[in-house]
Each structure stands twice: as structure tokens, then as C-alpha cells.
DNA sequence: CATGAATGAGACTTCATTCAT
DNA sequence: TATGAATGAAGTCTCATTCAT
């Protein structure tokens, strides 16, 4: 629908605008280069805090220091904004992990320890993990997002961890187990932690406090020991 | 990207109604007294399917077979309805597990296997896990829910699994490890699975498919082996 | 998009609504039966006055004495509202004309005079003709509307007038001329008049004033005389 | 039903540029002076295609090869731009017709045939007729345009055709009929055609197709025969 | 003069909640 | 009690107009 706005006569008054004494109109700044990043950062914060549907575009704009309309100069819709956030904050992580696995020299236990550490530092401990929470929560209401996120994040991440486990089996370090399922046993506690940090962890709740690093170390020790081939 | 209306790939039957304890004939007279239950069942389904914000009160009412106004006769707001769902559907899962742990006779590995199985059957595989997804996603928009849910669900569940692990250590079956952290390693993959079933698992995405039973068995084997004391 | 409205916490304030001293809240009246007609009448007036795009749904509602939301209870969109107006105000006219042509007894000149008179009284002289103005003006911006209006109004009206002319030819009263083109010569001045009434005619312009009845009589005399077979 | 963006089935070439009177080479220096003309040409095209309200100033600017800001350097608002288009494209059509009528030598039927032909070629078949459509549609949202357009276009055109008819009566060629009304019978079908070309004629609708030349010939024959004095 | 990034009023539509019946 | 018509705040996105560069 192309509404007829600003035909000065349509609604009785000539619509002379923002000329008067509006309180301190935001000074117009031209910053085409830095705007997208500022918007992405603001969007990440708010999507993580409130979820996709409950985040208002106007607030994203305000938090980025621009007006409502400016957001739409850079991203054509809220959905595209969200996708841009995913791409910037998550997609790049996968590549790094793949480099690590491809080039690693030592034994696979060490590889997995490194991988888990990187993954936590770059994903679990950052707002990026909050995006995962949002997707889990709202993907059923936005079917297009499902395919996008699956292709862009879930499948590559699964492939990454599985390939590391497979390396251990191929080199005779690990027992022969279903690699995808082992990959899950590795990833799940970390994701669990990450989700927690962005839901209950962000609320002033008097309950369990979890110390991520210690928890992850324990969990990895457990699984690595479980993976080891029994001594003959 | 438009929101999906009532998809519903998840496991086939609404599972509601299963809690009505009085199986008397549904006469017009009695219905009045079962109204709240029918509303809770309908609300459970829809909250799980769409989340809190995206669930429309009118649809809850329709699915319960009453009018919009009637819903408000029983619950003063959508938020109170949600809290009522949480209370009814989650709060009494814990007790059963505690009975099991208190009375179990065999070795602790078997106890953990039983516990995991029960937990999956009663939580992971039911809509209750869907509520968990919603809470994780939207608790930050609902500050008062956080404490309630932590007290009623999260802390007791943690205590339950921790006490089982502690039993294994006390009886010399397991190595001495931080019990809460081990409890997490046990619970996390199950919760991960359960969340998945209610998010991507319910979308027609061509990506990873997970087989819960097999995955949980693998994961439990892994962890139990990691828990075992090394043979002398 | 399903925005998260009314989650009292999302935006800092609990959103307790319209409870206070709003100035004289419109008394709620339940009038399901009469609402559609009132809305249709208000919509007709405004569409004719301002055009389709420039008419605001809120003003239609206000003029019908209801609130914005109520309009959407009866018509799912502005477009459907417009179509409903067309159907009610125009489609019925055609049928009457067809009855007249089918059952007419006298000579065809008299038939055409009757047809023109009816058409003017029921279409040209009423707001219905204003709808035609709107469609002409905006159809290129709303392609779906083109087919709808063509099927529902233009083609039937053309068929109606053409069939009357054909009758004159068949009965040897008129010369053999291309019937559709003659039909246009009959309809065009009337439509011209009607458009004028809803554009310049509605403005306080100091220019031509046209007296419709007289003008149409002259025009019909002219064309009928032109249609007559030359005397031998 | 979504608005159409830039369809454009109408007769193939934009017809603009045809008015630039100075055919000097388009050097960068000169362009500055032709800017207003290029803007008017672009505006004509778009107003005809989409109407006043639905035309975006940015697209006018783009089509004229300048930036949005530049448009406002030459015309202070969209409305003034529209008025400038009307002034330039319509106001001087009338004079030519008046010359023809003043100097014509043959019988009045021939004069009318010539007049109709010229009028069609210079008005009906050009974008000027599209402006007429827009004015008819939106004049009520533009009160000051009404008087202007009436004085500049409608009244002179009426006077022109009326004076030709009067000539026929004065010379005893035509019956004594109300001249203004006959003038309408002459002009109306042409205007009707012209409007059609810019509304339904420009849509891919499967309905009536009209062949202008043939239709106008039929209509003129009809009216001229109606005008003739009966043979004694 | 020219640019185009920035602004913000305003349009359509949804839905939690109310209240006359 | 129960109903469902009615309300109106709020959300996304558009675009005429402005103004820093």
C-alpha cells in the first residue's frame, strides 16, 4: 500500500513540520561507514535481551543513536537485520574452527580441548550465544529463519565438531562411536551454559550459580575419558 | 519472512487432557468445573508451539472451546495464565525422581540410567520441555517468573541429579568429581534434545535429524564410563 | 510479524490502560447487524472524496462511529473494504439494467432512453459514480483491483449497452454500426458527467456549470438521430 | 492486493524531452539550465503512471538524473512540481485549436473532423491526457488547483468546441441545438478514451480492448449525422 | 549548486483486555 | 456465568522534506 502522506491538504492542516521549538533535535550526523556496525551491535543487544518479536525496531535505532527511518536505510526489514546479525556474529566463528581442525598437529584430545576453549571464548561467553537462544525460541514462528539458521549455523557447527571426533577415531585415539552423537555430548553442555547465561543468568535470581569454566572442564574430562580406548 | 501460523510438526498428538483426574461424563453441568483445566491444556499447547508473546488469548479460548471473555473469568491476564500453566505442568515432576533416588537398591550406574529414562519420558518427551523452552526464551521479559521457576524447577532438578551422583561417589563407585558439574553433564544433553524437539525439530528444515533415544544412550555411556573409577 | 504487545514488562512500564480520565470514552454499542452497512457508507463517502490510497481506515471508522479496530472486525483489509463497496454499490445496478433490456416491449429508442435514465438516476447521480473515478485513477497502482473491477463492472456494463444497441439493429430500427463503439458513444458522456460531478463539480470553481439532465437529453437525441436508418 | 511498482504498458516511449526547444549539445555546462525541464519531463511520466500521491519525489529525481535534494532546489514541494507540470504541459494546447477554428474555410463538418483529429493527436494520444486523469482524481485533495485548471484548460476547451458548433449553426449547416451540450457530446468520448488509455488500458486486464481511431470515427459520424438539418 | 544521509509524522494492521448484553 | 463486539495502544515500514558536507 502506498499511503498518501504529506499531501498537505488531505487532512485539513498543512503539516508544516519540525520547524519550531522541538526540544533539542538530535544533531544530524552523516556517518554512512559506521552506521551498519552500530546498528548491528544495538540489534544484537536487544534481540538477545528481548527476543526477536519483542524487540522494536525503533528501540534498535534509538540505541544506535539514529532515528527510526535510518535503520531502514541500511536494512530493509527487521528480518534482514536479524539475518545480518547472525551472519556477522556467528558465521565467521565456524570458519576459524575449521581452520583449527584442519591444521592441528597434536593428539585429538588436545584438539578438542582447544576447540572447546575457542568456542566458549568466542561464542558461549559472548552475546552471540544469546542469538542462539532467540532462534530456538522463535524459529517456529518464522519458518524462513529456520532454513537460514540451519544452513548458516547448525549444520556447519555439527560438521565441525563431528570432524574433530572422527579424526580421533581415525587415528586410533578414540573408540568407534557415532560421531554426531558424540559431537552433541560435547556441544550440549556448552550450549546449555550459554542459554542459561542469557536467560536466568541475566535475572537477579537466587538459585544456582554456575561457574562456566570449571563446569566445562569437568564435562570435557568426563567425555574425553569416556572416549578413550580401553587399555588392553 | 512472515510468521508461521500454527504449524505443528511436533509429535502428533496434543497430549493434553491427560491430566484430568475425574473421568466422569462430560455433561453440560460438570463442564463448568473443568473449564480451568481445559484452558490450561489449551494454553500449554499454544505456548509451547508459539511462545508466550505470540500466543493469542483468543486462540487459547477457542481451543478450549470457550469464548475470549470466559478466559478472563478464570485468569486475570495472559501472564497469570502462563504462570498457572507452569505451576501445574512442571512443579510435581520432581517428587517422583526423588522417590526413585531415595529407594533405589542397585548400583548407581543403574540408578542413573533409570533416572535418565524417567526424566526423558516425563519431561523431555512431553510438552513440559516445551514450557522450559518458553521460559528460557522469555524469562527476561517476565522478571517475577524467574524466581518462581528457579525455586520450583531448576534448583530441585539440580539437587535431584546431584544427589544421585553423590551416592555413586559415597559408595565408591565413582571418582570424586564436583557433583553439580557432573549433574550438568548428565542433564544438559537431554535438555538440549528437548529444546531441539520444540524448535528446529518442529520445523521442516533439511538439516540434522536427531534420534533421541540413541543419542541419549551414547551420551550416558560416555559419561558413565568417564565416572568410573580407574581399575587398579 | 507478531509483535509482542502487552507483555507488561517489556518496556519498563506496566501498561495499565484506559482506566483513568480519558475524556468521555465513546460508549460501547453492540450493533453487529448494522455495522457493515454503516462502514460501507462511510467508506464510499471517503473513497469518493479522497481516493483509495489517501483515505485512512481510521477516518472511515470514525465516520461510521466506531473505533479503528472495529473496522477490521468486519473487513480484513482496506482493499477488501473497497471491493465490498464496489460490489454493493455497483454490481447490483447491472442486473437491473439487464432485466430492463430483456423484458422491454417498445421500440429500441425508447429502450435506450429508459436505460439511460435509469443509469443516470442510479449511477451517475449517486456516489456510485465516484467509485468509478477512484478506480480510473488508481487502478494502475493496484493490479488486482483491475481484474476485479473489469469483471465485476466494466465488462457487464459494456455488454448491457451493446446488447440494447444490437436489439435495435436486429429489429431494423438502427443502421448497422459497430455495437461496442456505439455503446461507448452512449455511455461516455454520462460517465464524463459523472466524473465531473465528483471532481471539479465538488470544488467551488468558478467555471462551467453543467446541467446534467438537459445535457444528457441533448446527447441522446443526437445519437439516436444518428442511429436511425435513413428514410428511403 | 499490493501496489504495483512502475508497470508501464502504455504506449512504449516516454515521449518526454520532446519539448526542449534548444537542441544544443548536452554539455555539462548547459545541463544546469535544462534541469528544470528534465525534472518536469520525469515528473510528467510518473504522475501519469502513478498519480500524484503515489509518485515518490525520489523517483522523479532519479529519472531526471539528479539527486533528491536537487529537486527541491528547483521546486519547493511536490505540489509545486505538479502545478508546474500542469502549466507547462497543458496550457498552450488551446491556442492552436483556436487558430484552426478562426481560419478554417470549408464546411463545419470538415472543421469538426479536423478539430477532433488535432485534439486527439495533441491531447488524447499524449501524456497530457494522463495529467487530466490525475487532476480529475486528485483535485479534491488540491483545492487551489481546481480554479487554476478550470481557467487554463477546461473552460477554454469548452469554448473552443462550442464556437465550432456555433459556426455550423450560424452557417445553416447544423440544427439549432444547445452548443455547450453538443460540445460535450463531441469531447466526452474522446476524453473517455484518453482516460481509459491511462487506466485500464495500461493494465494487463482481460476485458474490453478499444481501438481509439475507429471508435472516434464511429462516434463522430454518429454525432455529425445527428447534427445535420433534416432534408426538406 | 549538488548530494544523499537523516529525520519523524503517519499509514495499516493486530490483539490484550473490557464490558454491554 | 458466558459471550463476543468493541476498543485503542503499539508495532513495522514509507517517504516528503531537511541540512551537513
Amino acid at each position: 500500500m502506498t499511503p498518501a502522506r504529506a499531501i498537505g491538504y488531505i487532512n485539513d492542516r498543512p503539516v508544516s513540520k519540525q520547524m519550531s521549538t522541538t526540544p533539542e533535535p538530535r544533531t544530524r550526523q552523516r556517518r554512512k561507514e559506521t552506521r551498519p556496525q552500530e546498528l548491528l551491535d544495538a540489534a544484537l543487544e536487544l534481540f538477545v535481551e528481548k527476543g526477536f518479536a519483542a524487540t522494536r525496531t525503533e528501540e534498535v535505532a534509538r540505541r544506535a543513536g539514529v532515528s527510526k527511518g535510518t535503520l531502514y536505510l541500511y536494512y530493509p526489514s527487521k528480518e534482514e537485520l536479524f539475518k545480518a546479525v547472525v551472519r556477522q556474529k556467528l558465521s565467521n566463528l565456524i570458519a576459524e574452527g575449521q581452520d583449527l581442525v584442519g591444521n592441528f598437529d597434536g593428539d585429538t584430545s588436545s584438539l578438542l580441548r582447544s576447540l572447546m576453549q575457542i568456542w566458549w571464548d568466542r561464542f558461549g561467553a559472548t552475546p552471540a550465544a544469546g542469538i542462539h537462544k532467540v532462534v530456538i525460541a522463535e524459529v517456529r514462528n518464522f519458518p524462513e529463519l529456520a532454513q537460514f539458521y540451519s544452513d548458516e549455523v547448525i549444520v556447519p557447527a555439527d560438521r565441525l565438531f563431528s570432524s574433530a571426533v572422527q579424526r580421533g577415531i581415525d587415528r586410533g585415539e578414540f573408540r568407534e562411536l557415532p560421531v554426531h552423537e558424540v559431537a552433541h555430548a560435547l556441544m550440549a553442555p556448552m550450549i546449555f551454559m550459554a542459554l542459561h547465561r542469557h536467560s536466568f543468568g541475566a535475572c537477579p535470581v537466587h538459585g544456582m550459580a554456575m561457574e562456566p569454566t570449571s563446569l566445562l572442564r569437568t564435562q570435557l574430562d568426563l567425555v574425553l575419558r569416556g572416549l578413550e580406548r580401553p587399555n588392553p
Side-chain angles (χ1 to χ4, degrees), chain A:
Chain A
M1 179 68 39
T2 305
R5 243 159 282 90
I7 306 184
Y9 305 123
I10 277 187
N11 298 310
D12 316 324
R13 75 246 115 81
V15 188
S16 53
K17 290 192 216 161
Q18 89 240 76
M19 186 111 317
S20 36
T21 54
T22 39
E24 189 77 39
R26 190 203 315 272
T27 55
R28 267 177 203 222
Q29 296 184 58
R30 295 164 66 94
R31 293 196 291 155
K32 185 186 167 73
E33 310 309 325
T34 55
R35 289 286 189 237
Q37 189 57 57
E38 291 164 347
L39 285 164
L40 250 26
D41 292 341
L44 174 64
E45 276 181 45
L46 282 163
F47 283 142
V48 170
E49 187 177 325
K50 299 190 185 304
F52 177 76
T55 291
R56 285 177 299 144
T57 53
E58 183 161 16
E59 194 170 353
V60 173
R62 182 167 50 241
R63 197 170 289 199
V66 299
S67 75
K68 211 177 358 175
T70 301
L71 170 64
Y72 287 89
L73 244 37
Y74 294 94
Y75 301 97
S77 70
K78 193 168 140 177
E79 284 87 357
E80 286 304 320
L81 174 63
F82 188 79
K83 286 184 177 178
V85 169
V86 170
R87 265 187 284 260
Q88 191 189 50
K89 306 289 177 184
L90 296 183
S91 299
N92 303 347
L93 278 183
I94 315 282
E96 291 185 43
Q98 274 160 343
D99 287 352
L100 181 71
V101 174
N103 304 330
F104 199 82
D105 239 9
D107 62 66
T108 307
S109 291
S110 305
L111 169 58
L112 285 179
R113 283 181 209 278
S114 296
L115 192 54
M116 293 290 278
Q117 187 63 46
I118 284 183
W119 205 248
W120 177 253
D121 292 343
R122 305 287 313 267
F123 172 79
T126 73
I131 289 294
H132 194 74
K133 177 195 74 167
V134 174
V135 171
I136 282 176
E138 306 190 60
V139 75
R140 287 181 74 175
N141 294 329
F142 299 94
E144 288 182 56
L145 189 58
Q147 193 63 55
F148 169 77
Y149 195 80
S150 180
D151 294 347
E152 198 85 5
V153 180
I154 294 191
V155 168
D158 180 60
R159 195 148 41 212
L160 173 61
F161 278 83
S162 297
S163 69
V165 173
Q166 186 66 53
R167 176 186 190 270
I169 293 171
D170 291 346
R171 293 168 48 131
E173 300 170 79
F174 295 163
R175 295 187 289 142
E176 301 223 7
L177 288 165
V179 288
H180 287 284
E181 299 181 354
V182 174
H184 274 109
L186 286 165
M187 288 188 288
M190 184 154 63
I191 292 174
F192 180 89
M193 279 291 318
L195 294 179
H196 184 88
R197 284 166 54 84
H198 291 285
S199 58
F200 287 93
C203 295
V205 176
H206 307 296
M208 294 182 336
M210 295 196 266
E211 212 290 283
T213 313
S214 158
L215 194 149
L216 291 174
R217 187 168 357 92
T218 299
Q219 183 260 338
L220 188 56
D221 284 346
L222 219 46
V223 173
L224 286 178
R225 183 183 281 250
L227 282 170
E228 282 170 11
R229 295 166 64 84
N231 286 347

